[in-house]
Amino acid sequence: MPNRAAPLDLLLLPTWLVPVEPAGVILKEHALGIRDGIIAYIGPREAALRLECTEVRELPGVLLSPGLINAHGHAAMTLFRGLADDLPLMTWLENHIWPAEARWVTEAFVRDGTDLAIAEQLKGGITCFSDMYFYPDAAAERVHESGMRAQITVPVLDFPIPGARDADEALHKGVELYNDLRHHPRIAIAFGPHAPYTVGDENLEKIRVLADELDAAIHMHVHETAFEVQQAVEQTAERPLQRLARLGLLGPRFQAVHMTQISDDDLALLVETNTSVVHCPESNLKLASGFCPVERLWQAGVNVAVGTDGAASNNDLDLLGETRTAALLAKAVAGSATALDAHRALRMATLNGARALGLEACVGSLELGKAADITAFDLSGLAQQPIYDPVSQLIYATGRDCVQHVWVAGKQLLDNRTLTRMNEADLIARAQAWGQRIGGTNE
């Protein structure tokens, strides 16, 4: 009881408050209060002003929403942004990205690239992201320092990768990292087998056993292209998703990234196992990988989250823009203008992402008792007027430059579009230095 009467640390007074849960609700003349990093009050503005508060922030023209959740990316690949554009997936990977990674990726590369990605994501309203890249311990260290929230996935392939000579070493280091961070309030460790065509049955079975023992998530590129599926069928007479089901990997902790190729049998497996799908529309469009049938999945009851993928194939980490693309693309693919409406699109970028990452009890919606991971979007600008439905304006008419403030666990990491813990000029200088090295110039 004494806690309940304690003063609020911060009271936010926006024009609109969109909790996401319950679905479709827009609250006006409401306030949100934070205490000890947790949402402690949501209620009428008038009543809130009578509460004892350490700080009160008036936010006129602002829509307050749960922080955006980027459910798939390769953070450090920001340093490869624009390196090999306009190429098909396997040419891009085998002839350009993998050779560049073999030459350049070190712990220092991962630290600097992850810092750049964290800053870009915070400025775009993202409070939590899933990262799948080499030297996951270095990435976790940068997330810890930044104050952001993340799922760090331990990359596993059947061949040597930066930071691990083989899959066994990668898994051993992954378990150590999991144990080191198992009680971290903002970082979850998951396993990241790269794709069905780069990880064999033996290593997938090891991952399944470890994930079961640790109750850890598994994050994997699956059915990214028609070629991947066709090649698997020709070689094994089995679709990749069927193989993963046979090996026991699918389930509520499994995050299937891309899924542009979905048969009736694939859909049945996703539904039956309660597997989440992470949709990366802009990367899929840019690499001509195909179209994830989002509305079909949604109507079948599959949890669909959204991710940017890495900046080497997107080329930005703009989840608000990604969500707009997802909404528009879903309508074209479904042949229906009502597919993935604005409110469901926002849910996909928040609560569905939290559910995919196993974090829905903590984040993803503005509810009492959840962590105060919050984004404030300024809708007062010319391009947003007039406003009939602020969520529609957010999804269809607003860019990430309208992100004004960001809080993670009640700590303000973006204040009036300015990063509070990171030096933007330093980040740009470090990125440019890497660009000169990798590009072979001294400009």
Side-chain angles (χ1 to χ4, degrees), residues 176-415:
E176 282 188 340
L177 188 61
Y178 178 93
N179 289 330
D180 287 346
L181 296 175
R182 63 187 313 160
H183 300 301
H184 197 287
R186 292 179 285 102
I187 300 175
I189 301 300
F191 293 100
H194 171 259
Y197 55 88
T198 53
V199 188
D201 285 8
E202 183 182 349
N203 284 324
L204 287 175
E205 286 173 345
K206 289 177 185 175
I207 289 167
R208 187 204 71 228
V209 169
L210 286 171
D212 286 347
E213 283 178 4
L214 302 174
D215 194 25
I218 301 173
H219 186 90
M220 189 177 193
H221 303 101
V222 186
H223 289 207
E224 186 169 1
T225 64
F227 174 74
E228 172 198 332
V229 177
Q230 177 191 340
Q231 190 177 49
V233 170
E234 286 172 0
Q235 292 173 355
T236 68
E238 196 173 32
R239 290 170 72 83
L241 198 72
Q242 287 177 291
R243 174 176 159 230
L244 296 174
R246 173 174 57 76
L247 294 171
L249 270 76
L250 301 186
R253 293 193 310 260
F254 192 89
Q255 303 153 17
V257 181
H258 295 303
M259 290 303 296
T260 68
Q261 314 296 315
I262 299 180
S263 67
D264 290 346
D265 288 344
D266 294 334
L267 182 59
L269 277 177
L270 293 170
V271 172
E272 177 190 328
T273 58
N274 200 18
T275 292
S276 286
V277 167
V278 182
H279 177 37
C280 303
E282 292 183 6
S283 176
N284 291 342
L285 287 167
K286 185 161 178 273
L287 294 168
S289 297
F291 310 112
C292 176
V294 171
E295 185 69 9
R296 187 174 172 222
L297 290 170
W298 195 298
Q299 296 303 332
V302 176
N303 181 57
V304 186
V306 64
T308 58
D309 210 346
S313 66
N314 185 311
N315 294 20
D316 57 40
L317 306 181
D318 177 2
L319 200 76
L320 185 60
E322 200 79 33
T323 304
R324 180 186 186 190
T325 299
L328 298 176
L329 188 62
K331 299 173 191 305
V333 170
S336 168
T338 63
L340 197 62
D341 61 78
H343 284 263
R344 286 195 289 146
L346 180 59
R347 191 179 187 88
M348 188 167 77
T350 53
L351 188 56
N352 285 13
R355 186 166 290 140
L357 304 186
L359 299 174
E360 71 271 25
C362 174
V363 295
S365 56
L366 302 181
E367 298 182 74
L368 293 177
K370 284 196 171 185
D373 287 19
I374 302 166
T375 298
F377 297 94
D378 181 5
L379 301 188
S380 65
L382 178 146
Q384 284 77 41
Q385 309 311 314
I387 296 175
Y388 304 112
D389 179 338
V391 174
S392 280
Q393 295 300 67
L394 175 65
I395 299 300
Y396 297 123
T398 301
R400 61 177 167 173
D401 57 324
C402 292
V403 173
Q404 191 171 45
H405 309 294
V406 171
W407 293 266
V408 175
K411 300 280 191 291
Q412 189 161 15
L413 302 185
L414 189 76
D415 187 359

Side-chain angles (χ1 to χ4, degrees), residues 116-137:
L116 183 64
I118 287 170
E120 180 181 352
Q121 291 181 100
L122 284 172
K123 292 197 76 174
I126 296 166
T127 55
C128 175
F129 67 103
S130 179
D131 184 36
M132 180 195 231
Y133 210 58
F134 310 118
Y135 297 105
D137 50 341

Side-chain angles (χ1 to χ4, degrees), residues 134-149:
F134 310 118
Y135 297 105
D137 50 341
E141 172 210 312
R142 302 321 302 151
V143 172
H144 171 75
E145 289 295 323
S146 73
M148 208 175 180
R149 193 179 305 278

